């Protein structure tokens, strides 16, 4: 479903050249629940942005559901992103003067599903309820705690019922109990067919997945399957 | 050194009233290394902002080094913040179009210590080296990974050699190895006399401190001393 072949991503500016991702090849199959780990600066977010069609490759091929992403134009790329992929950003990227409810409704406005305003509102409310924010729907991001903002980002990523969830440190700002609630949601969705790739730096969280890929200096140094906890 | 007496902080707007901190009393003595824990939304960041003189109380008294903070004017407050307190924000608050080096130099420009430009540059470089970012000093925040941005925020909090470090989830975006490097820095500074209050949601990290305070719905529900690991 997600196939990276010899992917490299170099950041270049007048004074800087950083090989953030270095000749990475990996294949993620449908319904897998994979953890992506590695030290700070090892290339995880860069790899996630490439998989989420948010960033270009310097070299290599990325096949998404068998289609070559490198050959797509802007419209095809954003179409794929909206229909198939839910993305949780490491720094949330919520719209600042917009309520939690409106932030979560936003992806549905671009959706091809012809939803009524009422249906959009109901689905966004449901998504926020599931992550425990039913009583915060009218707060704007600066009226929310860090972990609450993170959960709004998760609710927004799931509201379009995507095929693939790319989550960059989705529990980084959450206490243990709230983390377990979120992982529980992910596991249920995975059982129902959602393919998940999740960046995490916590081994306890990684143990809930079926496979762990470790990056170091932009390269894959280990890729192990295991029995999830 | 830090004494909160019956502190309450209510957020009010036309449609919202949230008691983020509810009748909290606590005393932190010089040279303590304290962990502040609690579930997402329990009031930790709000409490930290009050302690860091960044936010007003709705009621109660806050004595900082014996002085009543509520009676200070804007100049006295910012003077205290610059001279005595280093603050690591949960969402970093780095200046976006400014390099890591310039971000870390900034607090020294306000410092009363009459430092030369050369000394300011050297101290900022040293602070970044200590957190492992010696080779990233000219990157701007969008050219840094999440964990690297977090470490710039830590370097900036420490560059003025404060008496008190208030760190809100300083390792939330860091892998285990980098986390241990940061905690090691904190422990050394604590041995040298730095008072530290650190929000963390990871029990492993809290175990390195000598005392753990737990918040729930704005109230302190437990306050235990322990032998640090
Ligand atoms: N400006 C605001 N207006 C209204 N409510 C607010 C505001 N800021 C925070 N809150 C609410 O106050 C409560 C405490 O927020 P706080 O940021 O202190 O929590 P926290 O313990 O730091 O959480 P986290 O672990 O998720 O970072 C939350 O329930 C939040 O929704
Ligand atoms: N726009 C950019 N220009 C130059 N270098 C960059 C840019 N963005 C990222 N980098 C560098 O690329 C490397 C990989 O960054 P990336 O964000 O993928 O790391 P990461 O594994 O997600 O780290 P973390 O765990 O800290 O979030 C880092 O060393 C970073 O400094
Ligand atoms: Mg990252
Ligand atoms: Mg917080």
């Amino acid at each position: 479903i997600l196939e990276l072949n010899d992917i490299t991503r170099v950041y270049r500016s007048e004074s800087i050249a950083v090989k953030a991702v270095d000749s990475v090849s990996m294949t993620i199959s449908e319904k897998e629940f994979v953890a992506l780990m590695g030290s700070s600066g090892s290339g995880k977010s860069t790899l996630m942005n490439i998989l989420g069609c948010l960033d270009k490759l310097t070299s290599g091929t990325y096949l998404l559901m068998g289609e070559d992403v490198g050959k797509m134009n802007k419209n095809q790329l954003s179409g794929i992103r909206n229909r198939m992929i839910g993305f949780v950003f490491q720094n949330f990227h919520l719209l600042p003067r917009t309520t939690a409810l409106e932030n979560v409704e936003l992806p549905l406005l671009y959706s091809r599903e012809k939803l009524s305003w009422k249906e959009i509102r109901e689905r966004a409310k449901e998504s926020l309820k599931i992550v425990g924010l039913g009583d915060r729907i009218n707060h704007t991001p600066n009226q929310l705690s860090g972990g609450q903002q993170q959960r709004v980002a998760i609710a927004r990523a799931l509201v379009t019922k995507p095929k693939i969830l790319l989550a960059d440190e989705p529990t980084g700002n959450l206490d243990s109990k709230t983390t377990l609630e979120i992982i529980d949601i992910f596991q249920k969705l995975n059982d129902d067919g959602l393919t998940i790739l999740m960046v995490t730096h916590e081994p306890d969280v990684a143990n809930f997945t079926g496979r762990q890929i470790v990056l170091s200096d932009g390269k894959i140094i280990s890729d192990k399957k295991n029995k999830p906890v």
Side-chain angles (χ1 to χ4, degrees), chain A:
Chain A
I1 182 170
L2 299 172
E3 194 182 320
L4 298 177
N5 291 314
D6 209 27
I7 301 295
T8 292
R9 173 65 166 108
V10 183
Y11 289 110
R12 263 188 234 287
S13 70
E14 349 150 314
S15 51
I16 291 169
V18 177
K19 219 177 207 176
V21 173
D22 191 356
S23 310
V24 161
S25 293
M26 67 188 222
T27 303
I28 309 243
S29 315
E30 235 184 301
K31 290 201 172 193
E32 280 201 88
F33 188 175
V34 186
L36 181 61
M37 309 183 78
S39 56
S40 175
S42 57
K44 307 180 293 296
S45 296
T46 304
L47 193 58
M48 294 289 276
N49 289 338
I50 289 169
L51 287 165
C53 305
L54 295 159
D55 194 17
K56 296 225 145 287
L57 330 153
T58 306
S59 63
T61 335
Y62 171 26
L63 300 176
L64 172 60
M65 315 281 274
E67 304 240 25
D68 188 341
V69 169
K71 298 204 161 56
M72 294 184 188
N73 63 39
K74 277 203 161 194
N75 282 335
Q76 289 169 306
L77 278 175
S78 66
I80 283 220
R81 279 203 306 271
N82 294 336
R83 287 199 317 276
M84 315 217 45
I85 299 174
F87 204 109
V88 186
F89 294 91
Q90 189 168 7
N91 60 359
F92 322 149
H93 280 322
L94 300 178
L95 294 181
R97 303 191 220 313
T98 315
T99 65
L101 185 62
E102 291 161 337
N103 263 288
V104 176
E105 287 174 336
L106 202 58
L108 292 174
L109 304 181
Y110 296 114
S111 163
R112 276 186 178 181
E113 308 178 59
K114 297 282 170 271
L115 297 171
S116 69
W117 284 109
K118 189 163 179 295
E119 285 172 306
I120 287 177
R121 178 133 300 206
E122 283 315 305
R123 262 178 61 172
K125 273 192 188 168
E126 187 57 25
S127 205
L128 283 163
K129 256 213 215 103
I130 288 173
V131 297
L133 294 175
D135 63 349
R136 288 281 183 276
I137 66 176
N138 292 318
H139 285 232
T140 55
N142 69 332
Q143 296 173 328
L144 293 170
S145 76
Q148 290 168 343
Q149 292 172 32
Q150 188 156 40
R151 284 181 277 157
V152 174
I154 292 168
R156 181 181 60 182
L158 295 175
V159 76
T160 51
K161 306 205 198 301
K163 288 227 160 356
I164 301 160
L165 176 68
L166 299 172
D168 197 343
E169 299 273 2
T171 64
N173 281 287
L174 303 177
D175 56 286
S176 322
K177 177 161 172 290
T178 313
T179 294
L180 290 175
E181 292 167 7
I182 294 299
I183 296 301
D184 189 53
I185 294 165
F186 287 4
Q187 282 183 320
K188 289 202 171 71
L189 291 167
N190 181 240
D191 291 339
D192 292 345
L194 178 65
T195 305
I196 304 177
L197 177 57
M198 174 178 72
V199 174
T200 181
H201 64 260
E202 295 183 57
D204 294 347
V205 172
N207 285 337
F208 288 103
T209 66
R211 176 180 171 194
Q212 287 135 28
I213 298 174
V214 183
L215 285 189
S216 174
D217 289 328
K219 290 182 178 299
I220 292 183
I221 56 170
S222 111
D223 186 345
K224 294 210 181 84
K225 285 201 162 74
N226 63 286
K227 270 234 160 296
V229 159

